[in-house]
Amino acid sequence: MADPQEKYQKLALEYAKLKAQIPVLKKAYLDEQGEVNQLKEILKERDQSVRKYEQEVDSLTFRNQQLSKRVIILQEELETSEANSKKKHKNKSEPSTPDGGSRNGGVNVFNEELQNKIEENALLHKQLQELSAQFDIHVRELQAQLKEAENSRGQHEEVLSSAQKRSKEMVDRLQEEKAMLEVKIQTMENELKEFRGRCDFAEQNLLLVEKSLQSRLSEATKIIEEKLPFIDTKLKEVNGLNVPTHDRRHQLRAKELITQGANLVGELTLGLSNFFTYSEQRSKIYPADGITEPLSPLNIKFCKYLHENMLYLKPVEQSLRGFVNNLKDDSLTVLETASELQPFSNSFKHMVAYMNKLLPYYIASLEEENAVSSCTTTLASKNRDLLQSLKRLNAVFNKINTYVFLLAIQSLQGQGHPQASHAKFFSGICKSLNDLHEAVKEVSKHYNSKVSLEHQLPTATKELKRTDECVVASLISLVTNTGKMAAFMSGNLEFFIQPAGYRTRGSSINSEVRAEGPRSHPAVNSFRQRAAHFLASVTKSPQETVPYCAAVQNRKTLYSSAESKESLAKQITVFQQKLTKLEQEKEHYLLELQLLKIKFENEQVKTKQLEKEIDLVRASSSGISSVTGASSLEDHIEKLTLPSDLSTRSDSVNSSSYLDTSMLGQVETTGSVVRNDIDTREQLIMSHYNSRINELTLQLQQADSKAVNFHAEVRALHKQLKIAEKAKEIGQEELRLVNQNLAHLKDELQTTTRSYEGQLSMMSEHLAGMNEKLAQQKDEIDELKQQQAQKGSSSKILKKSKK
């Protein structure tokens, strides 16, 4: 009843932990919602700024329309003025007046103003295009930020939903386990009721057996009185030739102690497995975590060997459990007959060899930790102390292995030691177990001091601290387990040292008999040893052979596996070739990207040089062109806008030649034809450079798209790898839970079998005691008969003498 209650309490604690994690997840969800709201507010502000920019663009377009209307009006006035001037030229009779000169001057002023307005209109169009381009870029940036915010929000919502789903699944699973445990409790209560009924039934049977034994005792006494002529247990010389019987209590005690020792050895292997597993996790984290810094080949090999610990630790426990299961109550177990200790000795030897193989890697790992720049001198000294304690621990295990081997070979014929040496072997094991306890305590102490110094370093991560705590917990469990083993061996050393539980008929084992040695005859002892060796040779299992059908099937499977192996090897070679081609293409694209970057930098340098030349031309031509009669708003626009990058002209009223300043230099031209040629040439050069820039940008975009594609593929593969690792961890966890359930069921089965065996042993002890009482009563009856016979013979002799 205690185990289900403890499981129910553990489940309740886990449910409380999960329930406590729910508000944390809610808080994280609320925080993420707050961040999303902040991003929305930022997006609203950006929208407002975009609206402001749009209003400014609208105002500029409105102003541009006004200016265009004004230009149209001025053009109409110019046309009217030109028409009037033509009419006046037709009228030749009328002489020229000063009003005509003033009108010509007005026409020139209008032409200049019209030219200025056209240039201003072109500048405003250019500025409007730049503002619209900036506006589009800004809108794209805001849209990208909005998409990123929505993606992050979706990720957080997915994480929260997955966490809620996992917590819900955990709660459902705990509720199911709770229901299962309740059902199990009910079944156990029913079984308890059944056991109580069976106990009552057994008591009734015991009364019936006592009655039958009493009747049989009376019959046996009658038979002994009538038909037993001679008792050979009275004389030591004659009784020594009888076949000795073994002490059943001694056998039960030995079986109980061996079972306790097997449980302690199982706890030891479990503690060592935990220590090796957590040491493997720590080696993957520190001093190199494998992500930011690659693991060294030595550390990778060390982690591989640590991962194989169950291959060497599990057989130790299994072999000793097999030895315990083969023990029987009706046969005496001594070292000469314990042939099942050989597998345990071999598996223990492999375990010690595995620990000796790990020791150099421990040394190299600690030296690698000492070589880290963050390792202080005190930490290095602690590492050296830990290394010395580990060496001492391995030495103690080697010593225990020697004693286990000596005890195991006692059952081999021709290789055993005298029986007087067995006490020394058990004493040596007791001392070695005490040394083992001290060595494990020393390792735990040095590792605790080392961990306390490591956790004070700034480079210590949370994962490292958690793993160190797990290692310390495994060492603490090892300390307690080795202490139990040392106390168990020292407390039962007298029982292991004492000789085998043999006794002759008519005598019992006490301190005097133990001091004198066995009372049986030497010939009987030699026959007993020969019988033990014979039984040990008989119980050896023959070598297993494979049937012909199984061998043929294995051969077919071997051929099929070889063919599948060849196909897989071909697939691997094809994939490797594809991978090399992809890597070559990637390198080719990277080289092309670098070349495009270099070309782009060269184009940037050229554009900067051209901009410098344009600035120099503008500075030289700034004193030639000047505009008068503009409004305050037009002056403000002229200050904001750049001067025209196409050309600046200096026109004169009386001459047709002018100075043309462009991005290619200064040219003095006459007439409109030359000017048109220069404009077409400049347009061709600009179109050539624009097409070249477009080609370069297209190539750059293609390279960027390919790089983004490769990056997306790598990320997808990385996610698939993570998903596979998670699935592997989940499978390992499920396997561990299944193994735990299986071990728990085995323990329950063992407890029930032990309880049944205890009850049967009690019944057998009671029957043995009754048999002993019957034998004693029989001996007393024989003595009384002999005394009566002696008295009758003496009375007859007296009667004869009297006659």
Side-chain angles (χ1 to χ4, degrees):
M1 294 294 289
D3 292 335
Q5 189 68 25
E6 289 178 358
K7 288 183 179 178
Y8 181 74
Q9 289 178 359
K10 289 180 181 178
L11 292 172
L13 289 172
E14 290 179 357
Y15 178 75
K17 288 180 182 177
L18 292 171
K19 198 171 182 181
Q21 289 176 0
I22 288 172
V24 178
L25 293 172
K26 285 184 179 178
K27 186 178 179 183
Y29 178 72
L30 293 174
D31 293 336
E32 293 297 329
Q33 268 191 344
E35 290 180 1
V36 171
N37 292 327
Q38 289 179 1
L39 291 172
K40 285 183 178 178
E41 290 176 359
I42 292 168
L43 185 61
K44 287 180 181 178
E45 291 176 359
R46 298 289 172 83
D47 290 332
Q48 290 176 0
S49 62
V50 167
R51 290 193 190 95
K52 288 180 182 179
Y53 289 134
E54 288 178 352
Q55 290 176 1
E56 289 178 1
V57 171
D58 293 332
S59 64
L60 289 172
T61 54
F62 178 74
R63 182 60 181 165
N64 191 9
Q65 290 175 1
Q66 287 181 348
L67 292 172
S68 62
K69 288 179 181 179
R70 189 173 178 184
V71 167
I72 292 167
I73 292 166
L74 289 171
Q75 285 178 354
E76 290 175 356
E77 289 176 357
L78 180 62
E79 289 175 357
T80 55
S81 63
E82 285 178 355
N84 291 326
S85 64
K86 286 179 181 179
K87 288 178 182 180
K88 288 179 181 180
H89 281 297
K90 287 179 181 180
N91 194 1
K92 293 181 180 179
S93 62
E94 292 181 0
S96 61
T97 59
D99 294 330
S102 63
R103 285 177 183 175
N104 292 325
V107 169
N108 292 327
V109 169
F110 279 124
N111 288 329
E112 288 177 358
E113 187 174 1
L114 180 61
Q115 185 67 28
N116 290 328
K117 295 300 180 181
I118 290 168
E119 291 175 356
E120 287 176 1
N121 194 5
L123 291 171
L124 287 172
H125 274 294
K126 186 177 180 181
Q127 187 179 7
L128 181 61
Q129 289 177 359
E130 290 177 356
L131 288 173
S132 62
Q134 291 178 1
F135 172 73
D136 292 334
I137 292 168
H138 191 61
V139 168
R140 288 171 188 168
E141 290 177 354
L142 291 174
Q143 286 177 354
Q145 290 179 3
L146 179 61
K147 287 181 180 179
E148 290 178 356
E150 287 178 353
N151 291 329
S152 62
R153 179 185 176 187
Q155 290 177 0
H156 290 304
E157 286 180 352
E158 287 178 359
V159 171
L160 181 61
S161 62
S162 63
Q164 289 178 352
K165 187 176 179 182
R166 278 190 273 113
S167 62
K168 188 176 180 181
E169 290 176 356
M170 183 68 75
V171 170
D172 294 336
R173 187 165 58 82
L174 292 173
Q175 288 178 355
E176 289 178 359
E177 290 181 356
K178 179 182 175 183
M180 290 172 67
L181 288 172
E182 288 178 353
V183 172
K184 195 172 183 180
I185 288 168
Q186 291 178 358
T187 55
M188 292 184 75
E189 288 178 352
N190 295 328
E191 288 179 357
L192 182 62
K193 291 179 182 179
E194 291 179 1
F195 289 149
R196 285 177 180 172
R198 290 171 68 180
C199 184
D200 295 335
F201 182 71
E203 288 179 354
Q204 294 176 1
N205 289 333
L206 181 62
L207 295 174
L208 295 174
V209 168
E210 287 180 352
K211 291 179 181 178
S212 64
L213 288 174
Q214 286 178 358
S215 62
R216 289 171 65 185
L217 177 62
S218 61
E219 291 177 359
T221 51
K222 289 180 181 178
I223 292 168
I224 289 167
E225 289 176 356
E226 294 174 358
K227 297 182 179 180
L228 189 63
F230 177 70
I231 298 173
D232 57 354
T233 57
K234 289 185 177 181
L235 300 175
K236 293 182 180 180
E237 292 79 6
V238 180
N239 195 17
L241 295 172
N242 288 326
V243 177
T245 60
H246 71 277
D247 190 0
R248 196 177 293 272
R249 294 179 182 176
H250 184 278
Q251 173 65 15
L252 293 173
R253 176 66 175 164
K255 185 176 180 180
E256 182 183 357
L257 292 178
I258 293 170
T259 305
Q260 292 178 8
N263 294 330
L264 292 174
V265 170
E267 293 177 3
L268 177 65
T269 55
L270 180 62
L272 288 173
S273 176
N274 292 332
F275 176 66
F276 292 146
T277 304
Y278 293 132
S279 298
E280 177 192 0
Q281 294 178 6
R282 187 182 184 279
S283 298
K284 290 180 180 178
I285 297 169
Y286 186 80
D289 56 357
I291 299 172
T292 58
E293 297 179 6
L295 296 174
S296 62
L298 189 68
N299 203 0
I300 292 171
K301 206 167 185 181
F302 183 38
C303 294
K304 178 185 176 184
Y305 287 148
L306 286 173
H307 190 70
E308 297 172 353
N309 58 62
M310 290 306 293
L311 296 176
Y312 300 95
L313 297 176
K314 195 69 176 176
V316 176
E317 182 183 3
Q318 289 178 352
S319 58
L320 194 56
R321 291 286 183 191
F323 174 64
V324 173
N325 294 329
N326 289 328
L327 293 178
K328 297 179 181 179
D329 296 336
D330 56 351
S331 62
L332 185 66
T333 301
V334 291
L335 291 176
E336 289 83 358
T337 60
S339 59
E340 290 84 3
L341 278 176
Q342 289 294 323
F344 171 70
S345 175
N346 294 328
S347 58
F348 193 81
K349 180 181 177 182
H350 292 317
M351 185 191 77
V352 174
Y354 169 69
M355 294 179 69
N356 291 330
K357 182 173 71 174
L358 288 179
L359 184 60
Y361 292 98
Y362 271 117
I363 295 169
S365 178
L366 291 174
E367 288 177 354
E368 188 176 351
E369 290 182 11
N370 291 334
V372 178
S373 59
S374 60
C375 183
T376 59
T377 55
T378 54
L379 184 57
S381 64
K382 295 296 181 184
N383 286 334
R384 286 192 290 271
D385 294 339
L386 178 62
L387 182 59
Q388 294 297 326
S389 59
L390 288 172
K391 288 180 180 178
R392 184 188 171 192
L393 181 65
N394 274 30
V396 173
F397 268 109
N398 287 319
K399 193 175 180 181
I400 294 172
N401 181 29
T402 303
Y403 284 114
V404 170
F405 175 72
L406 289 173
L407 292 177
I409 63 171
Q410 301 304 313
S411 59
L412 298 177
Q413 188 174 4
Q415 298 183 9
H417 294 271
Q419 193 173 6
S421 302
H422 295 176
K424 294 181 180 179
F425 297 158
F426 284 110
S427 301
I429 285 180
C430 182
K431 186 176 180 301
S432 299
L433 289 175
N434 289 321
D435 294 339
L436 178 64
H437 179 57
E438 295 297 327
V440 173
K441 281 173 65 177
E442 188 177 356
V443 171
S444 178
K445 182 179 73 174
H446 291 315
Y447 197 87
N448 275 323
S449 58
K450 165 187 162 60
V451 164
S452 61
L453 286 175
E454 273 185 359
H455 290 183
Q456 294 175 4
L457 297 175
T459 57
T461 60
K462 291 183 179 179
E463 191 174 1
L464 177 63
K465 292 179 181 179
R466 186 165 57 250
T467 307
D468 285 336
E469 289 175 358
C470 293
V471 175
V472 169
S474 63
L475 286 173
I476 290 170
S477 65
L478 279 174
V479 169
T480 55
N481 176 253
T482 51
K484 288 180 182 177
M485 292 179 74
F488 167 76
M489 195 65 195
S490 59
N492 300 299
L493 184 61
E494 292 183 0
F495 178 81
F496 289 118
I497 289 174
Q498 71 183 4
Y502 285 99
R503 65 178 183 180
T504 54
R505 294 177 180 177
S507 63
S508 60
I509 298 175
N510 51 21
S511 59
E512 295 178 359
V513 175
R514 288 175 188 169
E516 294 174 0
R519 293 184 176 182
S520 49
H521 199 270
V524 175
N525 291 330
S526 64
F527 289 144
R528 176 175 55 81
Q529 291 178 359
R530 288 172 63 184
H533 290 308
F534 175 73
L535 291 174
S537 62
V538 167
T539 53
K540 284 184 179 179
S541 59
Q543 294 181 355
E544 295 182 357
T545 57
V546 181
Y548 179 74
C549 296
V552 171
Q553 188 67 29
N554 292 333
R555 187 170 179 272
K556 289 180 181 179
T557 55
L558 183 62
Y559 276 122
S560 63
S561 63
E563 291 176 357
S564 62
K565 183 179 179 182
E566 290 177 358
S567 63
L568 290 172
K570 289 180 181 178
Q571 291 179 4
I572 288 167
T573 53
V574 171
F575 289 142
Q576 285 178 352
Q577 290 175 1
K578 289 182 180 180
L579 182 62
T580 52
K581 287 181 181 179
L582 290 173
E583 287 179 352
Q584 289 175 1
E585 290 180 358
K586 181 182 176 183
E587 291 177 356
H588 178 66
Y589 290 136
L590 289 173
L591 290 173
E592 287 184 352
L593 180 62
Q594 290 178 359
L595 291 172
L596 290 172
K597 284 182 178 178
I598 292 167
K599 291 180 181 179
F600 181 68
E601 290 175 357
N602 292 328
E603 293 294 332
Q604 283 183 344
V605 171
K606 289 180 182 179
T607 52
K608 286 181 180 178
Q609 290 178 358
L610 291 172
E611 287 176 358
K612 288 180 181 179
E613 292 177 359
I614 291 167
D615 292 335
L616 291 172
V617 172
R618 286 172 185 167
S620 63
S621 63
S622 62
I624 298 171
S625 63
S626 62
V627 179
T628 58
S631 63
S632 61
L633 181 60
E634 292 171 356
D635 293 335
H636 184 67
I637 292 169
E638 287 176 358
K639 288 177 184 178
L640 289 173
T641 57
L642 295 170
S644 175
D645 60 343
L646 297 174
S647 64
T648 58
R649 301 173 182 178
S650 61
D651 296 336
S652 64
V653 178
N654 297 321
S655 63
S656 62
S657 65
Y658 60 92
L659 183 66
D660 188 10
T661 304
S662 65
M663 60 190 296
L664 299 174
Q666 294 179 356
V667 179
E668 187 177 358
T669 60
T670 59
S672 61
V673 177
V674 178
R675 180 62 185 170
N676 291 327
D677 293 334
I678 292 168
D679 291 334
T680 55
R681 185 181 64 183
E682 187 174 354
Q683 287 177 0
L684 288 171
I685 292 168
M686 288 176 67
S687 63
H688 173 69
Y689 279 117
N690 286 327
S691 63
R692 183 61 180 164
I693 288 167
N694 290 327
E695 288 177 0
L696 292 173
T697 52
L698 181 61
Q699 291 176 3
L700 184 61
Q701 286 176 0
Q702 288 178 357
D704 288 334
S705 63
K706 289 178 181 179
V708 169
N709 190 11
F710 283 124
H711 181 65
E713 287 180 358
V714 171
R715 286 184 65 185
L717 291 172
H718 186 63
K719 286 182 180 179
Q720 289 179 1
L721 181 61
K722 284 186 177 179
I723 290 167
E725 289 177 352
K726 286 181 181 178
K728 181 181 176 183
E729 291 176 357
I730 291 167
Q732 290 178 353
E733 186 67 22
E734 290 177 355
L735 181 62
R736 187 179 64 80
L737 292 172
V738 170
N739 290 328
Q740 287 181 357
N741 292 328
L742 182 62
H744 181 66
L745 292 172
K746 285 183 179 179
D747 292 334
E748 289 181 353
L749 180 62
Q750 287 180 359
T751 52
T752 52
T753 52
R754 284 176 191 169
S755 63
Y756 288 145
E757 287 174 357
Q759 291 177 3
L760 291 172
S761 64
M762 289 174 64
M763 293 292 292
S764 60
E765 286 179 359
H766 183 71
L767 290 173
M770 295 297 292
N771 289 327
E772 288 179 357
K773 288 181 181 179
L774 287 172
Q776 290 177 0
Q777 289 178 359
K778 184 179 177 182
D779 294 337
E780 290 176 358
I781 289 167
D782 293 335
E783 289 179 356
L784 291 172
K785 283 183 178 180
Q786 288 180 359
Q787 288 177 3
Q788 287 178 359
Q790 289 177 0
K791 286 181 181 179
S793 61
S794 61
S795 62
K796 287 179 181 179
I797 291 167
L798 288 172
K799 287 179 180 179
K800 287 179 181 180
S801 61
K802 286 179 180 179
K803 289 179 179 180

